[in-house]
Amino acid sequence: MSRFYSYINSATAIIQQYNGAEPLAAFLKKYFTSNKKYGSKDRKQISHLIYCYYRLGKLVVEGDIQERLLAGLFLCSNQPQPILEALRPEQNQHIAASLPEKLAMLSLPLDLSQVFPWHDQLSDLIDAVPFSVSHVRQPYLFIRIRPGYYKTVTTVLQQQQVPFTVMSETCLALPNGTRIEDVISLNKTAVVQDYSSQQVAGLFTLLPHNKPLKVWDCCAASGGKSIMLWDHFMQLDLTVSDIRASILTNLRNRFAEAGIKQFNSFIANAVEPVPQIKDGTIDLVIADVPCSGSGTWSRTPEQLYYFETGKIGEFQKLQQQIVLQTSKAVKAGGYYLYITCSVFKAENETQVALLQEHGFTLVEQQVLKGYEQQADTMFATLLKKN
């Protein structure tokens, strides 16, 4: 019994030290490195407690940190928990119950719609309550199988006894935490890419296929969208840029593993003129812009817990600068693909309206409701320049 109280006390101490200034995963790694007394099982139990604490987001739980820890552990777990078995066995017996049933069992008045309380600022078509409630469940790990490798990948996963669910002929869902890099040849046969991110490929079918496209991925990050576009077209005049040198190094490594050899890459700040890109010369600009990341907070719940709405305006201003600058590169009749992993209208529909004011026509707009598949929620819009 004392061991489980020790877990709670350790989790409480960590929460009191953590302020959200860095990713929780990085903070926990440093904390446990500095405190060698914790074994692997201890670290796993304490980390799970802490993540459950933050998964409750902005929900107010009456009582101390311990009450929120235990309530979070019960609501966010679907497998028996040793801590609950020791301290609240009646809850552990119903760990697989539905969320309404679990809420009924708790003596606390909890409204899970308040986990994410900014309902009035959501993009159109997002269902506020299901989206809010989805944060108490950890998303799956998704991989996108590259062309020609479906049998190879699924056979290896079966041989290694790695459980997976087939989402489509190119997408598999795996338990979060699966060390997929130890099982398959990442980037060669498959890439780690969220389910909703993969759905953006549906917009690729609306692009012209009669000639190689001249493409600029202006906020390329690690290159996931560009690799997916390459797999769709198999031939591109591809240019990628990002403001971070380290990210571009990672991108080049991924491209090498993916067999993509013909491309241009350079460091660039997308809010400023880019000398390497001339106005009116690009068939397709991909702008997967920096954003609040609010559609991914079920993966990083500490960001939900510490988020303040003033950040929305900061991201909106940055996105506006990127949109106004990079859209100049699109030639007449060319396309602009605007993408965020945000759920806020100010970062989504508002920026699309800005593009429409500057000579673009809406082709198709998608709100990718990942919360229905334990995935990220994203926004993607394809526009054409008049």
Side-chain angles (χ1 to χ4, degrees):
M1 185 75 71
S2 61
R3 174 163 57 97
F4 301 115
Y5 280 116
S6 176
Y7 287 158
I8 292 173
N9 291 336
S10 294
T12 300
I14 292 170
I15 288 167
Q16 290 172 333
Q17 293 179 44
Y18 179 65
N19 61 9
E22 62 180 312
L24 179 57
F27 183 87
L28 289 175
K29 183 177 180 180
K30 290 194 294 188
Y31 182 88
F32 289 131
T33 299
S34 301
N35 294 270
K36 302 291 188 182
K37 65 180 180 179
Y38 298 105
S40 60
K41 185 176 181 180
D42 300 330
R43 294 195 299 270
K44 184 177 181 180
Q45 292 283 329
I46 294 168
S47 296
H48 183 56
L49 264 175
I50 293 170
Y51 270 97
C52 290
Y53 176 94
Y54 288 116
R55 284 195 179 283
L56 298 186
K58 298 295 184 178
L59 181 66
V60 175
V61 179
E62 296 177 1
D64 56 15
I65 291 178
Q66 175 178 327
E67 192 62 52
R68 184 183 174 100
L69 281 167
L70 291 173
L73 183 63
F74 178 51
L75 292 171
C76 301
S77 303
N78 54 18
Q79 298 292 328
Q81 299 295 317
I83 297 174
L84 290 178
E85 183 60 34
L87 304 181
R88 298 190 175 175
E90 71 286 355
Q91 292 182 2
N92 205 45
Q93 291 173 7
H94 295 86
I95 200 69
S98 68
L99 283 172
E101 291 171 331
K102 286 184 174 183
L103 288 171
M105 289 183 62
L106 293 173
S107 58
L108 303 169
L110 300 180
D111 178 3
L112 292 181
S113 69
Q114 293 307 302
V115 170
F116 187 103
W118 308 288
H119 299 177
D120 60 333
Q121 300 194 53
L122 289 172
S123 281
D124 297 337
L125 305 181
I126 292 179
D127 302 310
V129 174
F131 172 70
S132 182
V133 172
S134 72
H135 289 84
V136 305
R137 289 284 186 261
Q138 187 177 34
Y140 292 119
L141 170 70
F142 294 93
I143 60 173
R144 181 178 63 83
I145 302 175
R146 301 192 67 208
Y149 286 105
Y150 182 86
K151 186 175 181 180
T152 300
V153 171
T154 54
T155 298
V156 171
L157 292 176
Q158 290 167 346
Q159 290 173 344
Q160 297 296 318
Q161 298 183 329
V162 177
F164 64 89
T165 300
V166 177
M167 305 294 290
S168 73
E169 60 184 11
T170 59
C171 181
L172 304 180
L174 295 83
N176 204 294
T178 301
R179 291 185 58 83
I180 191 64
E181 67 275 14
D182 297 337
V183 182
I184 64 173
S185 299
L186 270 187
N187 300 321
K188 177 182 179 181
T189 61
V191 296
V192 174
Q193 189 170 26
D194 183 78
Y195 175 82
S196 293
S197 182
Q198 295 185 41
Q199 302 312 299
V200 174
L203 296 176
F204 297 165
T205 63
L206 304 176
L207 297 169
H209 287 64
N210 57 344
K211 64 175 183 176
L213 293 178
K214 190 171 184 179
V215 178
W216 177 29
D217 191 347
C218 65
C219 302
S222 59
K225 300 296 189 307
S226 285
I227 296 175
M228 186 165 66
L229 186 69
W230 185 279
D231 287 347
H232 184 86
F233 281 93
M234 294 299 181
Q235 191 175 10
L236 296 170
D237 180 355
L238 178 61
T239 296
V240 294
S241 65
D242 199 277
I243 196 172
R244 301 157 293 181
S246 60
I247 289 292
L248 279 180
T249 298
N250 182 37
L251 177 148
R252 294 184 188 109
N253 291 336
R254 289 191 74 194
F255 276 17
E257 293 168 348
I260 301 174
K261 300 177 181 179
Q262 299 298 320
F263 65 96
N264 301 309
S265 65
F266 51 82
I267 299 170
N269 185 348
V271 305
E272 300 172 351
V274 178
Q276 296 91 332
I277 302 291
K278 303 302 181 184
D279 291 354
T281 61
I282 303 296
D283 295 308
L284 171 66
V285 169
I286 301 176
D288 192 349
V289 296
C291 68
S292 63
S294 45
T296 70
W297 286 344
S298 53
R299 297 186 187 278
T300 54
E302 72 277 10
Q303 294 188 37
L304 166 59
Y305 181 86
Y306 282 104
F307 184 73
E308 300 296 337
T309 54
K311 285 286 186 181
I312 300 175
E314 295 176 19
F315 282 112
Q316 182 183 7
K317 181 179 179 180
L318 175 61
Q319 292 153 1
Q320 177 177 324
Q321 292 173 324
I322 292 173
V323 162
L324 291 177
Q325 184 60 51
T326 59
S327 62
K328 297 175 184 177
V330 181
K331 64 173 60 173
Y335 295 84
Y336 195 93
L337 178 56
Y338 180 81
I339 306 168
T340 77
C341 53
S342 171
V343 296
F344 293 122
K345 182 179 293 187
E347 299 183 82
N348 296 335
E349 289 93 340
T350 298
Q351 304 300 350
V352 172
L354 180 65
L355 282 162
Q356 291 175 301
E357 292 171 4
H358 285 78
F360 285 82
T361 299
L362 182 66
V363 177
E364 185 167 327
Q365 182 168 290
Q366 298 179 346
V367 175
L368 301 163
K369 301 180 182 180
Y371 56 90
E372 296 177 345
Q373 290 89 17
Q374 281 186 248
D376 298 340
T377 293
M378 298 182 63
F379 179 88
T381 299
L382 184 67
L383 302 103
K384 186 174 183 178
K385 190 169 186 178
N386 299 332

